[in-house]
C-alpha cells in the first residue's frame, strides 16, 4: 500500500489492523442473549473464558449453561432487570466453566434493540483477577510516575515528551505541562545531551535497554553548575510488539559524581607524588632535574610550567642584593603547541622579574602565590612584558600559581605554573601538591648544584695533577687523554703518567683509584707522586707495584688498580707488571691487536702481592694501549664483548697515536657514561740517535 492510500490516524482500517493492547490483555469475551435467555452469539474469547465451544453454547439457556444452581435465581433476576429497564449492570459474578470449576468473572451487561424493536442482552466478560491486576498496575504506575523521587518520562517514537513526572520537571527546570509535545532537544539543548538523544534513537531501533548511563551537564534548574544523572532507557511496546516510544528513568547522582571526582583527584595527587618521587632527581644534573620536575607536572597538573633557579646559586657567587635577583631559566614545558611558549623565558637565559610578578613575590616572601582567576588586564602581572602578556591572552591563560623552591632553608628558585586549555582554575589542593613536589625537587636540584660545584673542583684538581706529556719520547710517539664522568657519578681517581728514565727509557703508567670526588683525586695525586719517586730508583715494574701496594694500604679505605711498564727503545723491549688492572693491548705492525696475557696480580692496597714482571718485544710500528675500565665497561654489556669491540676498533691501521685516541673515545664512550677514563697510547718509532753510553 502506498503512503497516499494508507489510512490516516483514526481511520477504521488502521484501527482494525491490529489488536488493542489493553483489550488483548484483558481478553474480553462477548455473549449475545435473546429475550428468552437463549444464547444467540458466542465469541472465540468466550470459548476461552468459559470453556464451551460455539456449537456447545449457541441455542442453550445461558443461566443453565453458565451458572451453578445456587446462582441461577440471582442471575435471572439481574438479566430481567436489564431487559425491563434498559439500564446496564456491571460487576463480578461467579460462573461455572465447562470443567465444573467456578471462576469469578467481571461483567458489563447492556440491553440492545434491533430494527424490529426486539431486545437482546449483550454481555462483555473478562476474568476478574486479570481486571484487578490491571487496575493495580495502573494505580501503581500512576502513583509511581507522580510521586517517585526519581525522574520518569515517556517519549514517543519521535522523541517528543508524552508524560513526565514532577521530579524530572524539577531537574530540568521546566514545568511538567511545558514538556508535553516538545522534543527532547528543546528541553535539553547542548552538546552533553546530544549523546543521550543518540542513545535514545539506538534503543528505539534495537530494543536493547541502556542502564545506568552517566550524563553530565547543566539544565535551566541550575545553569551555573554541572550536575550528573544516571539515565536508564528502555523501549515501550504494546502486546502486539508495536513500538510505542521510550521510557526514561533519571536519577540525580551529582553527589556521587562529585565524590568520585574528589576521589579521582586525590588518587591523581597520590600518583603524581609517587611519580615525582620516582622520576625527579634520578641524576645529579641540574638542568635534567629541573626538566624532570616539569615532565611530572605537565600535563597532569598544569598546561605550562617554567622552572627558574637563582643565578647566584648556580655560579656559587653570593648575591650582592643590588637590584632585582637574576634567575636562569632551566626548564620549560607546555602540554600542547601554543603561542604562550614564546612568552616564557627560554632555558639558559637570564631574567629579572618585575616587582609585581609572582616569582618576585615568592623571592620576597618565601611563600607561594595562587591566582585562581586572571582577567585579561591581569596578565601583565604574570608576564615578563606587554608582548608576553598578549601571547598569554591569545593562549587563554586564566589561572596561575608560583611556588618557591626551598632547599635546606634557603630559597634557590621559583616554579611557575599556568592553565589555559584546562578550564578548571587552580585550587588550594593543587597548590599543596605543587608545593610538595617543589620541596622534593628543590632538594634534588640543590644536591645537583652542590655536586656540580664539587665535581668542578675535583675535575680541576684532577687535571692539575695529571702530566702534560710531550708527544715524543726517544723511540715513542705518545698520546694521552683524560675524560671525567658526566652523568651519574663524581669525578674519579683515574690517572696516567709518562716518566722519563735514564738511557732513553720511558715509564708508562695507567691507574684507577676506586672512589670519586676530591678525596679520590687527592689519593690519585699521592700515588702518582709516589710512582714518579719510585721510578727514579730504576726498579723493576713488579718492585714498583710492591712499594705502591704498601703506600696504598696507608690510604685506607682506598684501593687502586694499575699497569706499570718501562720501554727501552734500544733493546726494543717492554717490561710490564699489572696490579688487578685490565690487560693492555699490543698492536704489532702489520698484525692483529691482542690483549696481553699478563699475570693480573691483586689491586694495590690489598697487600696480598707479589707482582710479576713480564718482558716482551716492542718494535717500531707497534702500539701499546693502556686504559682504565671506564673506556670499556658499561652496565648493559659483558666485559668480554666490550674488549672484543676494542680490538676490532684497533684492527685498522691508524697514522698516529692521537688519531687512535680520538677514535677509541668516540666509538666506545658515551657522553653520559658513569666512570672516568684515562687512556695512554705509545707508538714505537725508530730511534734517530745512537744508544747512549752507560
Amino acid at each position: 500500500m502506498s503512503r497516499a492510500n494508507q489510512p490516516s490516524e483514526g481511520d477504521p482500517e488502521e484501527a482494525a489492523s491490529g489488536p488493542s493492547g489493553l483489550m488483548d490483555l484483558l481478553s474480553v469475551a462477548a455473549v449475545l442473549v435473546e429475550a428468552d435467555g437463549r444464547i444467540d452469539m458466542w465469541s472465540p474469547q468466550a470459548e476461552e473464558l468459559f470453556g464451551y465451544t460455539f456449537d456447545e453454547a449457541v441455542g442453550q439457556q445461558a443461566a443453565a449453561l453458565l451458572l451453578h444452581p445456587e446462582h441461577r435465581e440471582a442471575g435471572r433476576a439481574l438479566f430481567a432487570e436489564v431487559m425491563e429497564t434498559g439500564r446496564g449492570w456491571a460487576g463480578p459474578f461467579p460462573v461455572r466453566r465447562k470443567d465444573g470449576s467456578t471462576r469469578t468473572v467481571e461483567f458489563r451487561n447492556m440491553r440492545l434493540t434491533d430494527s424490529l424493536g426486539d431486545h437482546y442482552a449483550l454481555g462483555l466478560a473478562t476474568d476478574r483477577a486479570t481486571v484487578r491486576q490491571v487496575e493495580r498496575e495502573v494505580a501503581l504506575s500512576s502513583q509511581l510516575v507522580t510521586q517517585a523521587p526519581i525522574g520518569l518520562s515517556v517519549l514517543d517514537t519521535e522523541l517528543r515528551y508524552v508524560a513526565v513526572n514532577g521530579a524530572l520537571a524539577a531537574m530540568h527546570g521546566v514545568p511538567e505541562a511545558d514538556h508535553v509535545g516538545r522534543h527532547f532537544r528543546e528541553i535539553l539543548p547542548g552538546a552533553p545531551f546530544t549523546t543521550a538523544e543518540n542513545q535514545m534513537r539506538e534503543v528505539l531501533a534495537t530494543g536493547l535497554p541502556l542502564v545506568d548511563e552517566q550524563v553530565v551537564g547543566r539544565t535551566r534548574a541550575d545553569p551555573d553548575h554541572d550536575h550528573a544523572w544516571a539515565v536508564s532507557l528502555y523501549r515501550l511496546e504494546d502486546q502486539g510488539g508495536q513500538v510505542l516510544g521510550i521510557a526514561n528513568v533519571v536519577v540525580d547522582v551529582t553527589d556521587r559524581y562529585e565524590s568520585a571526582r574528589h576521589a579521582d583527584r586525590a588518587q591523581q595527587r597520590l600518583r603524581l607524588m609517587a611519580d615525582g618521587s620516582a622520576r625527579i632527581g634520578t641524576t645529579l644534573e641540574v638542568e635534567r632535574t629541573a626538566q624532570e620536575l616539569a615532565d611530572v607536572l605537565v600535563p597532569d597538573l598544569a598546561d605550562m610550567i617554567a622552572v627558574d633557579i637563582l643565578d647566584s646559586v648556580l655560579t656559587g657567587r653570593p648575591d650582592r642584593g643590588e637590584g632585582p635577583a637574576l634567575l636562569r631559566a632551566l626548564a620549560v614545558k607546555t602540554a600542547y603547541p601554543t603561542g604562550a611558549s614564546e612568552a616564557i623565558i627560554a632555558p639558559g637565559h637570564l631574567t629579572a622579574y618585575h616587582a609585581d610578578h609572582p616569582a618576585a613575590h615568592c623571592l620576597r616572601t618565601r611563600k607561594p602565590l595562587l591566582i585562581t582567576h586572571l582577567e585579561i588586564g591581569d596578565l601583565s602581572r604574570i608576564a615578563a612584558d606587554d608582548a608576553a602578556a598578549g601571547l598569554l591572552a591569545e593562549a587563554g591563560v586564566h589561572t596561575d600559581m608560583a611556588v618557591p623552591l626551598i632547599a635546606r632553608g634557603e630559597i634557590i628558585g621559583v616554579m611557575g605554573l599556568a592553565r589555559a586549555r584546562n578550564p578548571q582554575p587552580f585550587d588550594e589542593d593543587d597548590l599543596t601538591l605543587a608545593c610538595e613536589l617543589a620541596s622534593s625537587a628543590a632538594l634534588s636540584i640543590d644536591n645537583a648544584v652542590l655536586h656540580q660545584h664539587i665535581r668542578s673542583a675535583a675535575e680541576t684538581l684532577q687535571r692539575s695533577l695529571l702530566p702534560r706529556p710531550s708527544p715524543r719520547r726517544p723511540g715513542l710517539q705518545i698520546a694521552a687523554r683524560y675524560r671525567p664522568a658526566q652523568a651519574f657519578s663524581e669525578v674519579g681517581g683515574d690517572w696516567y703518567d709518562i716518566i722519563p728514565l735514564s738511557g732513553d727509557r720511558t715509564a708508562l703508567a695507567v691507574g684507577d683509584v676506586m672512589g670519586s670526588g676530591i678525596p679520590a683525586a687527592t689519593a690519585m695525586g699521592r700515588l702518582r707522586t709516589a710512582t714518579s719517586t719510585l721510578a727514579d730508583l730504576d726498579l723493576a715494574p713488579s718492585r714498583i707495584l710492591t712499594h705502591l701496594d704498601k703506600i696504598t694500604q696507608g690510604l685506607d679505605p682506598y684501593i687502586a688498580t694499575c699497569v706499570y711498564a718501562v720501554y727501552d727503545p734500544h733493546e726494543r723491549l717492554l717490561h710490564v707488571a699489572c696490579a688487578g688492572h685490565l690487560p693492555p693491548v699490543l698492536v704489532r705492525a702489520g698484525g692483529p691487536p691482542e690483549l696481553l696475557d699478563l699475570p693480573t696480580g691483586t689491586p694495590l692496597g690489598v697487600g696480598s702481592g707479589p707482582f710479576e714482571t713480564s718482558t716482551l718485544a716492542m718494535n717500531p710500528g707497534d702500539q701499546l694501549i693502556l686504559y682504565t675500565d671506564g673506556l670499556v665497561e658499561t652496565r648493559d654489556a659483558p666485559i668480554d664483548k666490550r674488549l672484543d669491540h676494542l680490538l676490532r676498533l684497533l684492527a685498522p691501521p691508524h697514522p698516529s697515536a692521537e688519531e687512535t685516541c680520538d677514535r677509541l673515545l668516540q666509538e666506545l664512550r658515551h657522553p653520559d657514561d658513569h666512570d672516568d677514563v684515562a687512556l695512554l697510547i705509545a707508538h714505537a718509532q725508530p730511534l734517530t740517535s745512537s744508544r747512549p753510553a752507560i
Side-chain angles (χ1 to χ4, degrees):
M1 180 185 293
S2 67
R3 181 172 293 275
N5 295 326
Q6 288 181 357
S8 62
E9 184 175 354
D11 192 298
E13 183 178 346
E14 180 182 16
S17 63
S20 166
L22 181 59
M23 295 295 284
D24 190 53
L25 175 65
L26 293 176
S27 187
V28 177
V31 179
L32 187 67
V33 180
E34 295 181 358
D36 61 1
R38 286 182 299 104
I39 298 173
D40 188 58
M41 294 185 180
W42 187 259
S43 73
Q45 289 80 8
E47 181 176 337
E48 179 182 350
L49 180 63
F50 300 117
Y52 298 100
T53 66
F54 175 85
D55 293 335
E56 292 172 331
V58 173
Q60 300 294 321
Q61 285 289 325
L65 181 70
L66 299 175
L67 301 180
H68 288 284
E70 63 269 24
H71 299 140
R72 289 173 186 168
E73 189 62 34
R76 291 190 181 101
L78 291 173
F79 174 76
E81 182 179 353
V82 170
M83 296 299 288
E84 290 175 5
T85 65
R87 293 194 299 268
W89 176 84
F93 203 91
V95 173
R96 182 181 65 183
R97 300 185 77 250
K98 180 180 178 180
D99 59 9
S101 63
T102 300
R103 172 179 287 185
T104 302
V105 175
E106 190 77 21
F107 280 100
R108 297 293 182 270
N109 294 323
M110 61 202 74
R111 190 181 72 180
L112 300 179
T113 304
D114 64 10
S115 59
L116 300 177
D118 295 329
H119 298 310
Y120 299 86
L122 174 64
L124 299 177
T126 189
D127 181 65
R128 188 170 186 265
T130 302
V131 173
R132 291 291 178 260
Q133 179 65 28
V134 171
E135 289 175 345
R136 285 194 297 270
E137 290 176 357
V138 170
L140 179 61
S141 298
S142 176
Q143 295 300 314
L144 180 64
V145 169
T146 58
Q147 299 180 17
I150 60 176
L152 299 170
S153 65
V154 175
L155 298 94
D156 63 18
T157 54
E158 298 299 322
L159 299 186
R160 294 184 297 259
Y161 282 97
V162 175
V164 63
N165 71 343
L168 189 62
M171 294 178 193
H172 293 171
V174 178
E176 296 176 54
D178 292 345
H179 277 76
V180 178
R182 297 177 67 184
H183 196 278
F184 176 82
R185 71 171 68 99
E186 294 181 74
I187 302 298
L188 297 174
F193 303 105
T194 300
T195 300
E197 180 179 346
N198 292 335
Q199 290 169 336
M200 287 182 175
R201 297 190 185 281
E202 185 175 352
V203 171
L204 280 173
T206 65
L208 297 175
L210 182 71
V211 178
D212 206 23
E213 182 74 13
Q214 181 170 281
V215 177
V216 179
R218 299 182 181 186
T219 68
R220 298 174 208 181
D222 188 6
D224 297 326
H225 300 93
D226 282 338
H227 283 255
W229 301 276
V231 177
S232 296
L233 305 170
Y234 57 94
R235 191 169 73 182
L236 297 176
E237 303 173 0
D238 64 14
Q239 292 295 312
Q242 182 178 354
V243 178
L244 302 176
I246 194 166
N248 182 19
V249 181
V250 182
V251 179
D252 192 315
V253 292
T254 303
D255 290 343
R256 186 176 73 188
Y257 169 73
E258 291 295 338
S259 297
R261 282 188 60 203
H262 289 312
D264 287 343
R265 293 190 62 190
Q267 289 182 353
Q268 181 190 34
R269 288 193 291 270
L270 289 175
R271 285 195 301 269
L272 275 178
M273 288 298 299
D275 197 24
S277 299
R279 294 174 56 189
I280 299 173
T282 61
T283 70
L284 286 172
E285 296 180 22
V286 178
E287 291 81 2
R288 184 164 176 175
T289 303
Q291 189 61 52
E292 288 168 346
L293 173 62
D295 291 342
V296 167
L297 291 177
V298 174
D300 289 336
L301 181 65
D303 288 341
M304 53 198 72
I305 186 174
V307 181
D308 301 335
I309 302 298
L310 286 167
D311 191 54
S312 59
V313 172
L314 293 173
T315 61
R317 295 189 295 268
D319 186 358
R320 298 176 181 272
E322 299 173 358
L326 282 176
L327 293 110
R328 186 175 298 274
L330 289 191
V332 169
K333 185 172 184 180
T334 60
Y336 49 87
T338 171
S341 58
E342 300 297 324
I344 307 173
I345 305 300
H349 290 71
L350 286 171
T351 188
Y353 292 107
H354 56 79
D356 198 34
H357 195 278
H361 167 86
C362 289
L363 293 175
R364 285 194 309 268
T365 65
R366 298 165 57 91
K367 295 181 179 179
L369 179 64
L370 172 64
I371 305 175
T372 57
H373 184 69
L374 286 164
E375 299 290 348
I376 296 297
D378 298 329
L379 291 173
S380 59
R381 180 183 178 188
I382 68 169
D385 51 43
D386 291 341
L391 291 171
L392 296 178
E394 291 177 8
V397 172
H398 61 88
T399 184
D400 183 87
M401 60 180 168
V403 178
L405 300 172
I406 299 175
R408 298 180 175 91
E410 297 295 329
I411 186 166
I412 64 170
V414 179
M415 176 177 70
L417 305 98
R419 283 178 179 169
R421 188 172 292 179
N422 184 337
Q424 296 299 322
F426 288 128
D427 57 22
E428 291 293 338
D429 289 339
D430 296 326
L431 183 63
T432 299
L433 174 61
C435 288
E436 288 287 341
L437 288 171
S439 177
S440 175
L443 185 60
S444 295
I445 292 173
D446 193 52
N447 287 339
V449 170
L450 179 61
H451 163 75
Q452 183 173 285
H453 293 163
I454 295 175
R455 182 180 180 279
S456 178
E459 185 177 340
T460 301
L461 174 61
Q462 180 89 335
R463 291 189 180 279
S464 70
L465 294 174
L466 293 173
R468 293 174 175 80
S470 169
R472 287 194 176 275
R473 284 286 300 150
L476 288 177
Q477 181 191 65
I478 298 174
R481 299 285 190 275
Y482 170 73
R483 292 290 183 270
Q486 295 297 316
F488 295 93
S489 166
E490 298 176 353
V491 174
D494 292 18
W495 89 91
Y496 62 84
D497 214 340
I498 301 109
I499 306 169
L501 301 176
S502 62
D504 292 336
R505 294 174 304 154
T506 303
L508 307 168
V510 165
D512 181 2
V513 174
M514 296 183 185
S516 59
I518 291 177
T522 304
M524 177 274 293
R526 295 173 66 181
L527 282 178
R528 180 174 175 266
T529 301
T531 304
S532 298
T533 303
L534 291 168
D536 288 338
L537 299 178
D538 202 14
L539 300 173
S542 59
R543 295 288 304 279
I544 295 288
L545 294 182
T546 299
H547 286 292
L548 289 176
D549 182 39
K550 294 178 181 178
I551 293 170
T552 308
Q553 292 177 50
L555 301 178
D556 187 68
Y558 287 100
I559 60 175
T561 64
C562 181
V563 172
Y564 183 85
V566 176
Y567 178 63
D568 186 337
H570 297 282
E571 298 289 343
R572 296 181 178 179
L573 292 176
L574 180 72
H575 307 280
V576 58
C578 182
H581 203 82
L582 289 171
V585 178
L586 182 62
V587 185
R588 298 194 181 277
E594 59 177 313
L595 292 170
L596 294 181
D597 186 13
L598 304 176
T600 303
T602 58
L604 303 176
V606 176
S608 62
F611 304 99
E612 297 182 34
T613 299
S614 299
T615 301
L616 57 151
M618 184 171 170
N619 298 309
D622 295 348
Q623 278 191 342
L624 178 69
I625 296 92
L626 306 178
Y627 54 93
T628 56
D629 56 6
L631 182 68
V632 292
E633 286 189 352
T634 64
R635 296 184 176 185
D636 54 2
I639 186 64
D640 291 344
K641 290 187 177 180
R642 294 287 292 174
L643 289 173
D644 289 342
H645 191 191
L646 171 63
L647 295 179
R648 287 194 298 273
L649 292 173
L650 290 169
H654 299 286
S656 70
E658 292 288 342
E659 291 181 9
T660 303
C661 274
D662 292 339
R663 176 174 171 79
L664 293 181
L665 289 173
Q666 179 181 356
E667 296 293 334
L668 292 173
R669 182 166 171 79
H670 189 275
D672 290 339
D673 280 349
H674 67 283
D675 201 0
D676 290 11
V677 172
L679 175 63
L680 190 153
I681 298 179
H683 193 173
Q685 305 287 313
L687 275 175
T688 58
S689 60
S690 61
R691 181 184 178 94
I694 298 177

